[in-house]
Amino acid sequence: SIISALSTNHLIGNETRYPNGIGSYLTMTDATKEEFDWPPLESNPEVFAKYLHDIGLSKLYSIGEVYGFDEDLLAFLPQPIHGIIVALERLNRDSDITKGTADDITKVDFYMDQTGSLDNACGIIACLHAILNNSDSMLVPGSVLETFRQTTKNQTPAERCKSLEDNIDFKKIHKSFAMQGQSAAITSDQSKVQHHFVAFVVKDGCLIELDGTKQGPYVIGECSDVLRGAIAEIQKRLASGEISDKLSMMTLNAAA
């Protein structure tokens, strides 16, 4: 493999490191504001799991952490794995956002755009992409998440973006979790936000990257194992210099 283990430091920005464990990176956007509408989230599986359970992910499912790409480390992950969420640092964002196509929206059950006022919402958008492209049985009836699913089911990606922007309940819960962990101090300084969250799912035998800043779903190729497929794609991007080696990876999986 390109790397045998993921970075062992939390990271906010390029220079500030926190020795509290692995995989805490923040989201990125172009916006410059006095205060973020959707503050950045720390890439911490405990924070994400609590957030998602609060908005309506069934407790039969949870968020895990990939500590390295070696098979002996992957063997410890709870199974089955339904989706992958990666926080990565794009070294050529202008090129990255040209990937994908709106023509492939029909290949997934749910895809949404990420624009301006959803400044640092890519963490929760990646989770929405992972969860809502799986079974509706993952959702607690009547919850914020299930209600969002129902109200946006027939919307376009742009309309779904607007629906999330305008969802007061969702935004309130998001801000409460953005205040946890190392992202709590990042309320307006975009220079400290270097990482971007994306999701990987397998639909109809194809690995697909879902990222609201791209042109649409990015179909990568044939795949039957979302974990190893996503790892192979990340290794490819590391080797080509598309992303830095400061990254973290989480799993949407059955609860242990």
Side-chain angles (χ1 to χ4, degrees):
S1 63
I2 300 298
I3 53 177
S4 60
L6 305 185
S7 171
T8 54
N9 294 298
H10 289 215
L11 180 91
I12 298 178
N14 287 325
E15 301 298 335
T16 308
R17 295 172 181 267
Y18 296 80
N20 297 325
I22 183 173
S24 295
Y25 302 115
L26 304 182
T27 63
M28 182 174 72
T29 183
D30 290 330
T32 301
K33 302 179 180 180
E34 291 185 5
E35 184 173 336
F36 296 136
D37 289 320
W38 293 75
L41 294 170
E42 179 179 323
S43 179
N44 179 318
E46 293 182 2
V47 171
F48 269 73
K50 182 66 166 63
Y51 180 170
L52 294 172
H53 288 148
D54 273 18
I55 62 173
L57 176 67
S58 165
K59 291 194 175 179
L60 295 175
Y61 303 91
S62 194
I63 302 296
E65 185 167 17
V66 179
Y67 289 99
F69 293 165
D70 289 341
E71 284 296 327
D72 57 344
L73 294 172
L74 301 181
F76 289 102
L77 293 170
Q79 300 290 330
I81 292 171
H82 302 282
I84 300 296
I85 299 156
V86 184
L88 46 78
E89 183 181 22
R90 299 182 287 190
L91 299 180
N92 189 343
R93 184 182 184 277
D94 290 344
S95 174
D96 186 71
I97 62 175
T98 66
K99 294 178 179 178
T101 173
D103 293 341
D104 285 335
I105 288 171
T106 57
K107 293 184 177 179
V108 295
D109 300 321
F110 178 88
Y111 177 79
M112 65 174 286
D113 294 338
Q114 180 186 350
T115 57
S117 62
L118 288 178
D119 38 38
N120 288 290
C122 58
I124 189 59
I125 290 173
C127 292
L128 291 174
H129 279 143
I131 294 167
L132 299 184
N133 279 293
N134 278 282
S135 170
D136 284 351
S137 65
M138 287 189 174
L139 311 180
V140 175
S143 64
V144 170
L145 188 55
E146 196 266 345
T147 301
F148 179 79
R149 168 63 171 160
Q150 293 303 324
T151 58
T152 62
K153 184 172 286 187
N154 297 316
Q155 292 183 349
T156 67
E159 289 170 340
R160 289 168 176 162
C161 175
K162 185 69 165 58
S163 291
L164 185 57
E165 289 175 356
D166 295 342
N167 193 314
I168 302 302
D169 291 338
F170 219 133
K171 184 184 289 187
K172 185 182 298 183
I173 295 170
H174 179 92
K175 285 190 172 183
S176 73
F177 281 93
M179 293 305 294
Q180 298 182 25
Q182 296 164 14
S183 59
I186 314 298
T187 59
S188 62
D189 188 350
Q190 195 64 56
S191 69
K192 295 182 179 178
V193 184
Q194 299 296 321
H195 286 72
H196 179 65
F197 285 97
V198 301
F200 292 91
V201 298
V202 169
K203 301 293 287 184
D204 296 325
C206 287
L207 180 69
I208 303 176
E209 180 185 11
L210 299 168
D211 169 6
T213 69
K214 288 183 169 62
Q215 302 304 302
Y218 177 44
V219 179
I220 295 166
E222 292 184 5
C223 181
S224 60
D225 183 331
V226 67
L227 173 63
R228 287 165 181 81
I231 287 173
E233 178 64 17
I234 290 299
Q235 289 177 321
K236 177 181 174 183
R237 295 183 194 182
L238 285 165
S240 67
E242 293 179 56
I243 60 174
S244 79
D245 62 0
K246 302 180 182 69
L247 62 98
S248 68
M249 182 179 287
M250 297 183 291
T251 57
L252 169 65
N253 51 256

